[in-house]
Amino acid sequence: MWGWTLREITRAFQEGRISPTELCQRCLSLIRKTAFLNAYITVTEELAMQQATAAEQRLQRGKSFGPLDGVPIAVKDNFSTAGVETTCASNMLKGYIPPFNATVVQRLLDQGAVLVGKTNLDEFAMGSGSIDGIFGPVRNPWGYSEQYRERFARDQKLEDSNWVIAGGSSGGSAVAVASQTCFASLGSDTGGSTRNPAAHCGIVGFKSSYGLLSRHGLIPLVNSMDVPGIMTRCVDDISTVLGTLAGHDPKDSTTIQDPFEPFELPDEIDVRNLSVGIPKEYHAPGLSSEVLKTWIKAADLFENAGARVVEVSLPHTQYSIVCYHVLCTTEVASNMARFDGLEYGHRSEIESSTEALYAATRHEGFNDAVRGRILAGNYFLLKQNYDHFFVKAQKVRRLIANDFLKVFGSGIDVLLTPTTLSDAFTYHEFIKEDNRTRSAQEDIFTQSVNLAGLPAVTVPTALSERGLPLSIQFIGRAFCDKQLLTVAKWFEQQMNFPHINIQGLLNHYNELHKPHNSVGAI
Ligand code: GLN
């Protein structure tokens, strides 16, 4: 069952090979055994069993049974979930229990999905490693895989300190899917937070066109760039989940007005009439030779299959990181202003004056990364700085979006790019100062996509020399999400990316932790 697609699960339910409650129990049991990965902040065991039981009854009564009915899913802890604590991995929201579901969560539940838990992240989704939340860092299951043990750890003492980061900020959602504790998850993507961890964890991560998915109930980071992200083990499953989620939401005025027609991707895909663009500016400094190799190989695959592969130029790429950071921090400054200790969220006990209350509340509630962004954002918004930073960044954003428009206007259907500069870091590598900077640089492949509101998807390709996932990103025209996913599916069919062996992972963990703390067989 671990390799099953969503449609295969439905078939297995219908043929009685497994029941929704059995499947839910297996996932919950695996969540307990893989707790050391720290993917989940809250496990909604009771709720999940109730939902699975309801799905089982629908199945027994022969009620129409959709592709998500009875399917265990997980949701990043920055989506509001009615009655379930929603923390954004921050002291500011710890203990907050929303009275409503985010629209995308509600739509999943309406289709019978079973919520097994809320997943870990960087505080308020600010970060690229999933190590900066109050619940501690997320660990990448590939760091415990047989492949990693055999290749990288072969030369090193087998120590737990070699653990590998999951990428971020939706690292918990990526690990939840990669470690097979659920079959689909929601992340959020403001500058790459779905695609980056998906790439590092060897799964498929999709960011839709801005406006296709509702942001209502997604606690905002950057309203003009945020989109809910979808993470699954294969491209077909992305389209199944997208079909459930997409379309107009009266509670989010930026969603499309037209109804969205769910689609199934064809099995036989012909790429002969396809034009694939390779942006020359994406040969970024720091690009590892392995990623370069997988990128060239991908381009060759398309060429050999008869597609037209051409080099294109996105000349303003070099400004995307700076532009993103000015716009991100200014929107953060404005979004975070609501957390003042008076309306909701954490409230400090230091109440000597209103100002002291604000300051203490925000000091206690936010980590350094969040406070740093609030500070930078307010600086850019000062009267004397506004034109120089904020307005200029808006203009640069337009130039970046125009670069894409021009390329797509010239007949290119999709862009083929790396998702990350290299495979994932170990924790010790990641926390070194220059690697922190490097990990922010990595967003060069993902952030401009959010600045332009385009759809993009990352697909795993192969394992690196040290046994960690590598991947490729496809960027599509706005609202051509279906075409993008079709191309990604064709590409996925050409790859033979391995599933992680869960029993092997647990064995490796046990070896590191014997005799105490070991976990049983699955
Ligand atoms: N790494 C980026 C940041 O920290 C992206 C975050 C995101 O997409 N949520 O802003």
Side-chain angles (χ1 to χ4, degrees):
M1 59 172 263
W2 304 118
W4 284 351
T5 65
L6 295 176
R7 285 178 200 282
E8 281 166 347
I9 297 174
T10 309
R11 216 171 307 133
F13 284 156
Q14 279 161 343
E15 290 168 4
R17 281 183 280 133
I18 194 165
S19 74
T21 52
E22 271 166 356
L23 187 63
C24 182
Q25 268 157 350
R26 286 198 197 184
C27 288
L28 291 171
S29 148
L30 196 53
I31 289 175
R32 283 191 290 271
K33 286 180 177 144
T34 53
F36 60 91
L37 298 174
N38 207 15
Y40 289 84
I41 292 176
T42 306
V43 182
T44 46
E45 204 156 321
E46 219 172 284
L47 180 72
M49 281 312 290
Q50 279 167 14
Q51 291 168 341
T53 307
E56 199 148 311
Q57 284 163 355
R58 279 192 294 276
L59 186 64
Q60 280 159 0
R61 287 202 304 266
K63 288 233 167 158
S64 80
F65 207 76
L68 283 169
D69 215 346
V71 173
I73 54 137
V75 171
K76 186 176 181 179
D77 209 23
N78 59 351
F79 286 93
S80 297
T81 40
V84 178
E85 189 180 358
T86 299
T87 66
C88 286
S90 173
N91 278 324
M92 189 55 89
L93 281 180
K94 198 154 178 268
Y96 168 58
I97 300 191
F100 70 103
N101 280 320
T103 298
V104 283
V105 173
Q106 190 59 50
R107 288 186 180 174
L108 286 172
L109 297 180
D110 288 346
Q111 293 301 312
V114 171
L115 178 69
V116 290
K118 302 290 297 288
T119 59
N120 205 348
L121 65 155
D122 288 300
E123 186 161 330
F124 280 98
M126 299 183 201
S128 307
S130 299
I131 64 165
D132 282 336
I134 60 165
F135 299 100
V138 180
R139 295 181 180 211
N140 190 329
W142 285 97
Y144 296 94
S145 67
E146 289 160 324
Q147 293 92 336
Y148 181 71
R149 182 177 41 181
E150 276 162 21
R151 301 185 201 183
F152 173 67
R154 176 184 51 201
D155 315 320
Q156 317 252 340
K157 194 162 166 280
L158 195 63
E159 272 176 358
D160 199 19
S161 62
N162 290 333
W163 67 267
V164 176
I165 63 148
S169 65
S170 313
S173 287
V175 171
V177 170
S179 61
Q180 305 173 8
T181 58
C182 67
F183 291 84
S185 65
L186 292 184
S188 61
D189 198 309
T190 307
S193 271
T194 292
R195 289 161 285 154
N196 177 292
H200 285 321
C201 293
I203 59 165
V204 184
F206 171 69
K207 170 218 173 287
S208 71
S209 301
Y210 184 86
L212 202 54
L213 299 183
S214 166
R215 289 175 296 109
H216 172 70
L218 166 61
I219 295 167
L221 173 59
V222 184
N223 308 50
S224 72
M225 297 180 216
D226 294 341
V227 288
I230 305 172
M231 294 155 126
T232 59
R233 288 204 283 281
C234 67
V235 178
D236 263 334
D237 288 353
I238 297 277
S239 69
T240 304
V241 178
L242 181 66
T244 304
L245 301 183
H248 181 63
D249 175 14
K251 293 177 182 143
D252 178 355
S253 60
T254 62
T255 49
I256 47 162
Q257 295 298 321
D258 301 336
F260 179 81
E261 283 303 321
F263 53 81
E264 256 185 63
L265 299 172
D267 285 327
E268 301 289 326
I269 300 164
D270 188 351
V271 294
R272 268 176 303 182
N273 289 323
L274 196 76
S275 289
V276 180
I278 311 285
K280 65 173 186 218
E281 292 79 7
Y282 282 42
H283 286 273
L287 188 69
S288 79
S289 59
E290 289 183 303
V291 173
L292 181 62
K293 217 159 86 195
T294 212
W295 189 19
I296 293 173
K297 212 169 141 199
D300 288 347
L301 264 175
F302 278 98
E303 196 146 44
N304 294 339
R308 191 171 73 99
V309 179
V310 275
E311 187 178 84
V312 296
S313 176
L314 299 167
H316 297 92
T317 301
Q318 57 176 313
Y319 306 113
S320 63
I321 290 184
V322 172
C323 173
Y324 170 90
H325 273 278
V326 173
L327 297 177
C328 170
T329 53
T330 51
E331 289 197 41
V332 162
S334 143
N335 274 325
M336 297 294 149
R338 75 192 73 184
F339 298 109
D340 56 10
L342 297 180
E343 286 159 283
Y344 46 79
H346 172 71
R347 180 188 184 121
S348 173
E349 284 173 8
I350 300 171
E351 296 183 330
S352 48
S353 68
T354 312
E355 211 171 19
L357 173 69
Y358 283 170
T361 295
R362 290 159 73 79
H363 182 80
E364 293 162 13
F366 294 134
N367 70 7
D368 287 354
V370 176
R371 286 205 306 275
R373 288 199 199 195
I374 295 173
L375 215 68
N378 282 318
Y379 175 80
F380 296 139
L381 289 171
L382 288 176
K383 192 161 170 249
Q384 64 270 32
N385 293 338
Y386 187 85
D387 282 341
H388 188 62
F389 291 106
F390 181 67
V391 173
K392 194 177 254 177
Q394 293 285 27
K395 290 179 181 166
V396 173
R397 180 179 194 169
R398 169 60 58 201
L399 293 174
I400 290 170
N402 283 349
D403 281 353
F404 284 110
L405 278 179
K406 224 186 207 160
V407 163
F408 288 126
S410 74
I412 295 294
D413 298 302
V414 289
L415 296 170
L416 173 68
T417 81
T419 319
T420 56
L421 285 168
S422 66
D423 60 1
F425 289 115
T426 65
Y427 178 69
H428 289 290
E429 288 165 353
F430 188 73
I431 56 173
K432 284 188 198 141
E433 197 50 45
D434 39 335
N435 282 338
R436 280 274 191 162
T437 319
R438 191 179 136 190
S439 107
Q441 295 296 321
E442 193 157 84
D443 289 346
I444 185 144
F445 304 122
T446 52
Q447 278 171 352
S448 48
V449 176
N450 298 70
L451 287 164
L454 303 176
V457 60
T458 176
V459 180
T461 56
L463 293 177
S464 68
E465 248 167 54
R466 56 180 188 175
L468 298 174
L470 296 169
S471 74
I472 277 297
Q473 174 179 241
F474 297 94
I475 305 169
R477 293 191 179 128
F479 298 106
C480 293
D481 300 56
K482 178 178 174 187
Q483 183 190 32
L484 174 73
L485 291 174
T486 308
V487 174
K489 177 170 171 178
W490 177 84
F491 180 71
E492 181 185 55
Q493 288 170 340
Q494 319 305 309
M495 297 292 109
N496 200 6
F497 189 78
H499 285 300
I500 201 162
N501 174 346
I502 294 296
Q503 189 57 61
L505 176 154
L506 295 178
N507 291 346
H508 185 189
Y509 180 78
N510 285 342
E511 237 172 276
L512 295 168
H513 291 265
K514 58 184 171 198
H516 41 256
N517 275 347
S518 64
V519 285
I522 46 170

